[in-house]
Amino acid sequence: MHEWPKAQGREKQPMLKANHAVMLLKTDARDQAWIDAFSDAMPELEVRLWPETGDTSEINCALLWCPPPELFDGLDNLEVIFSIGAGVDSLLTCPTLPAHLPIVRMVEPELTAGMVEFCLFHVLRFHRLMHRFETQQAERHWEELPQVPATGVTVGVMGLGVLGQALARQLSALRYRVIGYRRGPGAVDGVEVFHGEDELEAFMRRSMILALLMPSTPETNRIINRETLRWLPVDAYLINAGRGDLVNEQELIEALDAGPLAGAALDVFETEPLPQASALWSHPGVYVTPHIASITHPPTACRYIVDTIRYYRQGEPWPHLVEIDRGY
Ligand code: NAP
């Protein structure tokens, strides 16, 4: 069961019609899986698959991924927008987005678990030097490399939101030293927290393995660049599972070639799919995956959406609302 924020004197928003919610669905290519999941989770919900909208005035909620600008035409009675992804950059950059409406972010347990698995996998790989043993095996070369205990490795989690905090908990359980970076102040159990631009350098100087789990916003754009990469310890590793535009890719390649980076695991890129000509494909020490660190699973995601609608109908506020001004 999810934890829901309590209503605190928020202005009541118009209720979705009690028994006839009509959902417009624009997915990421798994249409039937989403339709089946909604029919299991809330059979009475009428789901209309974009662009088969029918009478647009009947639609009062929408679940969206990368909406085209014309999608919002005629949706005059829309009350809430759900995002298929945890990241909302593709929604917020839609020029016709009705920004006065509540936008509910995707926060579901399987999505969180997938991201934790992805990041832990690469933290363990780099910490235990598996990438170097892979090279040694290919060369039939037997050599013991120094093995440092987890208590001697500081992992910097950049972005301490839903995903970053879940990762931090598991890293602590594996006895890593965990430091974290976020936009505003706020303590997190077991994590030494840094925040704001003034504390970025101190945070990066300690991060032997740096995991990026921040959203794409104007403030985070290319926050990892030549200058900030220089702050990392020698032979540091970078994991980017946030968004491609957090990193200046050309300057990342320079840091891999000349230091301080010893390797990187990249799931997201400035341009996706990663262009054939990119040097990252074949760079030694770089692991490329095609934006699969964590995907939203329709069955659990639909349960989350249906639960939020039911709670909202009881007078509770929408959870996990996007704040348009800050961009996430
Ligand atoms: P979230 O709960 O909104 O957390 C975002 C975190 O980033 C917060 O800790 C926030 O700081 C921090 N942040 C935002 N702007 C910042 C800035 N300018 N400087 C420093 N910190 C900043 O988001 P989430 O659910 O954890 O997801 C994080 C991101 O992961 C998503 O936005 C998405 O881009 C990415 N993602 C990728 C995949 C994939 O498959 N690769 C899958 C899911 C999500 P505060 O805590 O101070 O607000």
Side-chain angles (χ1 to χ4, degrees):
M1 184 51 72
H2 308 285
E3 280 183 23
W4 305 99
K6 290 281 161 260
Q8 287 175 341
R10 292 172 67 110
E11 202 177 308
K12 204 81 174 289
Q13 299 182 29
M15 298 289 281
L16 284 171
K17 289 186 192 99
N19 291 315
H20 194 63
V22 180
M23 171 79 78
L24 179 63
L25 183 61
K26 155 83 175 63
T27 81
D28 52 353
R30 291 172 294 161
D31 294 346
Q32 197 54 49
W34 284 102
I35 291 167
D36 292 347
F38 271 123
S39 118
D40 284 349
M42 195 184 221
E44 69 276 23
L45 179 73
E46 187 181 332
V47 177
R48 297 185 187 170
L49 190 61
W50 166 261
E52 305 300 324
T53 54
D55 179 353
T56 47
S57 69
E58 293 169 353
I59 293 170
N60 50 21
C61 49
L63 173 62
L64 304 177
W65 179 254
C66 292
E70 64 275 22
L71 178 140
F72 294 104
D73 291 350
L75 296 188
D76 299 331
N77 293 317
L78 195 61
E79 291 181 36
V80 61
I81 296 170
F82 296 98
S83 165
I84 283 189
V88 289
D89 38 303
S90 81
L91 266 181
L92 298 191
T93 49
C94 176
T96 56
L97 180 78
H100 62 286
L101 292 181
I103 301 174
V104 178
R105 233 160 49 76
M106 184 55 67
V107 177
E108 61 102 356
E110 297 298 340
L111 179 77
T112 304
M115 184 56 84
V116 171
E117 288 160 11
F118 180 89
C119 293
L120 279 186
F121 177 85
H122 287 293
V123 167
L124 286 162
R125 176 208 290 281
F126 289 137
H127 158 217
R128 295 302 308 267
L129 304 179
M130 286 302 149
H131 54 303
R132 293 183 57 191
F133 290 119
E134 277 168 25
T135 309
Q136 287 193 186
Q137 182 173 352
E139 294 166 353
R140 297 171 181 257
H141 175 68
W142 181 283
E143 183 188 340
E144 199 179 305
L145 300 172
Q147 297 282 311
V148 178
T151 49
V153 177
T154 302
V155 182
V157 180
M158 199 164 179
L160 275 179
V162 172
L163 301 179
Q165 290 193 32
L167 173 63
R169 279 193 291 279
Q170 295 302 322
L171 288 168
S172 299
L174 289 174
R175 302 180 315 122
Y176 288 101
R177 291 193 297 231
V178 186
I179 62 176
Y181 181 75
R182 67 194 308 175
R183 183 165 176 264
V188 176
D189 267 359
V191 181
E192 189 181 341
V193 178
F194 298 73
H195 77 272
E197 273 175 50
D198 292 349
E199 296 186 8
L200 180 57
E201 179 174 350
F203 165 77
M204 294 211 27
R205 286 199 182 280
R206 299 259 306 278
S207 298
M208 298 160 73
I209 302 176
L210 179 66
L212 307 183
L213 283 175
M214 284 191 300
S216 162
T217 73
E219 274 180 41
T220 61
N221 188 269
R222 295 188 161 192
I223 194 167
I224 301 300
N225 54 49
R226 185 177 293 125
E227 188 192 349
T228 56
L229 283 164
R230 265 198 220 113
W231 294 333
L232 288 172
V234 172
D235 287 343
Y237 297 94
L238 178 80
I239 300 167
N240 187 9
R243 280 292 182 265
D245 64 1
L246 301 176
V247 176
N248 180 321
E249 264 170 29
Q250 190 46 47
E251 294 175 8
L252 169 74
I253 292 170
E254 289 169 23
L256 285 160
D257 289 340
L261 277 182
L266 307 171
D267 185 57
V268 285
F269 301 89
E270 285 177 341
T271 303
E272 295 180 9
L274 182 63
Q276 289 292 313
S278 171
L280 291 170
W281 281 112
S282 55
H283 199 289
V286 172
Y287 293 88
V288 169
T289 47
H291 202 142
I292 48 70
S294 191
I295 56 165
T296 306
H297 295 274
T300 39
C302 286
R303 272 204 295 280
Y304 162 72
I305 290 166
V306 164
D307 284 351
T308 64
I309 292 175
R310 291 192 174 129
Y311 275 82
Y312 176 70
R313 283 175 168 168
Q314 291 166 15
E316 300 292 341
W318 293 111
H320 305 298
L321 280 178
V322 174
E323 288 182 32
I324 304 237
D325 293 344
R326 63 178 196 179
Y328 67 101

